[in-house]
Amino acid sequence: MDPAAQANKDLPTVVIVGRPNVGKSTLFNAILGQRRSIVGDEPGITRDRIAGTAEYNRRKFELIDTGGIIPDDNQLIPSQILKQARVALENAAWVVFVVDGRSELSSADLDLARMLRQLNKRVAVAVNKIDVPKREVLAAEFFRLGFPDVFPISAEHHGGIDTLLDHVTAEFPAGEPRAESVETARSIRVAIIGRPNVGKSTLLNAILGQERAIVSPIAGTTRDSVDESISIDGRDYTFVDTAGIRRKGKTKLMAEKLSVFMARRSIRMAHVAVLLIEAEEGPVALDATIGGYAHEEGRALIVAVNKWDLIPEKKRKDYERAIRDQFKFLEYAPILFLSAKNKTGVRRLLATIADCFASYEKRVSTGELNRFVETLTFEPDRRILYITQPSVRPPTFVLFMDKVRKLHFSTERFLINRLRERFGFQGTPIVLKVKSRHS
Ligand code: GDP
């Protein structure tokens, strides 16, 4: 069976290659998901499909599993693998080169890599069977294959596949959005947090009361929580645990405890946290405590100063300074001023939530990152071998260094600041991990 003949000619093609038993078919099936089907059961013909139309983020592409055309034979040499997959590879927009993350690179892997390079195709390396959390560590060795785009995945458990597809399909044309209900749409999940009486309920009402907003309450992720979704300016926002925001404690102490508890709970359900503070009192210790949870949980964060209608505009700089002082660890959070009561600054807040969410899931390609670190000078006797961003939400970078020694705290800050300057990660924490070749 000729996979290329089977492929839909109008779509870009992604071809999965790799030695036998590295998990090509599992990856193929994981990407196709429900659409997988069996095409024939005559003896001698592989039962599983070897080509199928996949869709990711509204981008359609043809996916070919060369595992279906290559006999499962560990003795097979790389040139035979490539010969059999030739037709498919010639038409490929992208090649996904699967290797086994549980074993060392074999000479067959290296040979295959060398031959793939000669094809001048775009190649992403998928390091499969990385099921444990410390994925990025294990993926380091696979840069030896000579392709900058290395993605740790677990085809079986569906780990890391989205990141791989984000990258591979980035330039494929996107189709028309499907009509989706608000409930199932890709929505930014927002937690409004803050101590009692700062105006959380008022803000929520101001947002949900926006003109043209479509409000729909839906059951939240914990039993007694309710999420409410709106669609504004083409974006969908889900405010998590709105019942919790509206709940009031009976005594001051109880209300304060409740506000801390609610913040911790809703932050975990959200992508972006909005820490609401009160203009009249200014930032206080409890605000910092509550904001600290968002930081610890690695969520995007915005500090919003409410009741700004009560304060003369010229005080803005003083407030900014006081907030930066009180929340030293949150220097990435934008500060906004608003009046929930008068509904001023609310649109701006929503736009900022969307911006921070974009930073929160922003991905920089390995190529771009490595060109960027080449321009940096820091500790004179240290060298960055490569840098990669294995995950988003929040953006997480892994530096592979030449020496085992930990990076100095100030160097770490320096690198994070340069990353922010260069790539703009407003409103999101950045995680930096340092690995060395010998660790
Ligand atoms: P929550 O406990 O954080 O949910 O706070 P509420 O939304 O219940 O608000 C507490 C009090 O602050 C209420 O009396 C509100 O009317 C008042 N409030 C809320 N937002 C504003 C605002 O922007 N300006 C002024 N002046 N008062 C506000």
Side-chain angles (χ1 to χ4, degrees):
M1 190 159 29
D2 176 2
Q6 215 184 21
N8 182 338
K9 286 279 186 302
D10 295 324
L11 295 175
T13 302
V14 175
V15 178
I16 303 175
V17 295
R19 285 190 296 120
N21 296 320
V22 292
K24 294 184 295 299
S25 300
T26 314
L27 177 61
F28 176 80
N29 290 332
I31 294 174
L32 285 185
Q34 301 299 314
R35 275 177 289 277
R36 176 194 175 192
S37 67
I38 292 167
V39 286
D41 54 9
E42 298 93 327
I45 297 183
T46 167
R47 284 173 56 95
D48 287 343
R49 292 186 69 159
I50 56 170
T53 304
E55 188 176 345
Y56 179 72
N57 264 350
R58 311 201 329 263
R59 297 185 157 87
K60 279 193 175 169
F61 58 95
E62 198 63 19
L63 187 67
I64 294 174
D65 172 21
T66 57
I69 24 176
I70 299 160
D72 236 7
D73 178 358
N74 275 317
Q75 303 305 311
L76 210 64
I77 61 165
S79 63
Q80 284 173 308
I81 295 180
L82 275 198
K83 200 168 160 205
Q84 306 229 29
R86 205 198 71 233
V87 189
L89 285 167
E90 268 170 14
N91 295 308
W94 267 95
V95 177
V96 174
F97 179 18
V98 185
V99 292
D100 185 340
R102 285 202 194 144
S103 56
E104 302 237 337
L105 283 178
S106 67
S107 59
D109 287 317
L110 293 166
D111 283 349
L112 199 49
R114 187 172 46 75
M115 289 178 223
L116 284 173
R117 272 201 302 277
Q118 287 165 0
L119 290 174
N120 276 329
K121 291 283 178 183
R122 305 223 273 174
V123 177
V125 177
V127 182
N128 191 28
K129 308 187 189 177
I130 307 284
D131 308 333
V132 292
K134 289 197 172 168
R135 298 175 177 172
E136 55 280 355
V137 189
L138 296 163
E141 120 120 348
F142 299 96
F143 282 93
R144 282 174 56 210
L145 292 167
F147 299 104
D149 298 322
V150 176
F151 299 88
I153 65 163
S154 167
E156 203 170 354
H157 300 112
H158 228 281
I161 293 178
D162 284 2
T163 310
L164 169 71
L165 291 181
D166 275 337
H167 192 76
V168 166
T169 65
E171 285 167 34
F172 293 174
E176 287 301 304
R178 271 176 302 173
E180 280 175 317
S181 66
V182 171
E183 284 85 347
T184 58
R186 214 172 100 92
S187 198
I188 307 172
R189 298 179 62 81
V190 185
I192 298 177
I193 55 175
R195 54 198 181 84
N197 291 316
V198 293
K200 297 182 296 298
S201 312
T202 312
L203 175 62
L204 185 68
N205 293 340
I207 293 170
L208 299 180
Q210 290 274 313
E211 264 178 278
R212 287 185 292 138
I214 310 156
V215 181
S216 78
I218 42 185
T221 39
T222 60
R223 254 216 324 206
D224 56 344
S225 80
V226 177
D227 298 346
E228 285 175 84
S229 290
I230 57 160
S231 190
I232 292 176
D233 295 336
R235 298 286 335 212
D236 299 324
Y237 303 82
T238 298
F239 292 86
V240 303
D241 200 8
T242 52
I245 293 170
R246 294 197 175 99
R247 194 169 304 153
K248 305 287 176 208
K250 288 216 167 60
T251 64
K252 183 164 185 273
L253 187 65
M254 198 177 127
E256 289 195 344
K257 283 187 172 159
L258 193 63
S259 74
V260 174
F261 170 78
M262 289 300 170
R264 297 185 68 162
R265 179 166 96 164
S266 59
I267 284 164
R268 291 197 198 104
M269 298 187 259
H271 301 124
V272 181
V274 175
L275 172 66
L276 204 60
I277 67 177
E278 225 252 6
E280 279 186 308
E281 282 188 70
V284 300
L286 187 58
D287 296 323
T289 306
I290 293 174
Y293 293 124
H295 181 70
E296 278 166 30
E297 297 284 340
R299 300 305 200 266
L301 181 73
I302 295 164
V303 177
V305 184
N306 188 31
K307 309 193 187 178
W308 196 240
D309 52 293
L310 302 173
I311 308 292
E313 182 57 37
K314 62 175 194 293
K315 298 260 179 165
R316 192 183 278 248
K317 280 272 168 296
D318 297 342
Y319 272 79
E320 279 176 359
R321 204 171 315 122
I323 291 165
R324 293 289 175 216
D325 262 10
Q326 182 75 258
F327 308 141
K328 281 220 166 58
F329 55 104
L330 302 177
E331 84 281 299
Y332 51 85
I335 301 173
L336 299 181
F337 296 84
L338 51 89
S339 166
K341 197 170 109 191
N342 298 346
K343 300 192 171 135
T344 52
V346 174
R347 276 286 164 127
R348 172 96 197 280
L349 172 65
L350 289 168
T352 309
I353 290 171
D355 290 346
C356 292
F357 178 69
S359 309
Y360 185 58
E361 58 164 18
K362 183 185 170 84
R363 181 163 229 295
V364 183
S365 78
T366 307
E368 237 179 306
L369 282 172
N370 284 287
R371 282 192 295 280
F372 158 71
V373 293
E374 273 170 22
T375 65
L376 296 179
T377 38
F378 55 108
E379 295 177 35
D381 61 334
R382 299 295 295 274
R383 211 159 62 83
I384 297 174
L385 300 175
Y386 7 80
I387 175 169
T388 177
Q389 185 189 352
S391 57
V392 296
R393 299 187 182 184
T396 302
F397 297 88
V398 178
L399 294 171
F400 298 99
M401 308 289 298
D402 56 346
K403 299 201 177 88
V404 186
R405 211 174 67 229
K406 257 187 78 150
L407 268 194
H408 192 273
F409 176 70
S410 62
T411 310
E412 209 169 299
R413 281 190 71 92
F414 165 82
L415 286 168
I416 289 179
N417 289 339
R418 290 295 95 77
L419 281 166
R420 290 189 185 284
E421 267 171 34
R422 174 68 183 76
F423 300 107
F425 284 101
Q426 141 161 289
T428 177
I430 285 181
V431 179
L432 204 66
K433 296 179 180 174
V434 179
K435 312 283 172 205
S436 81
R437 234 175 203 173
H438 313 290
S439 63

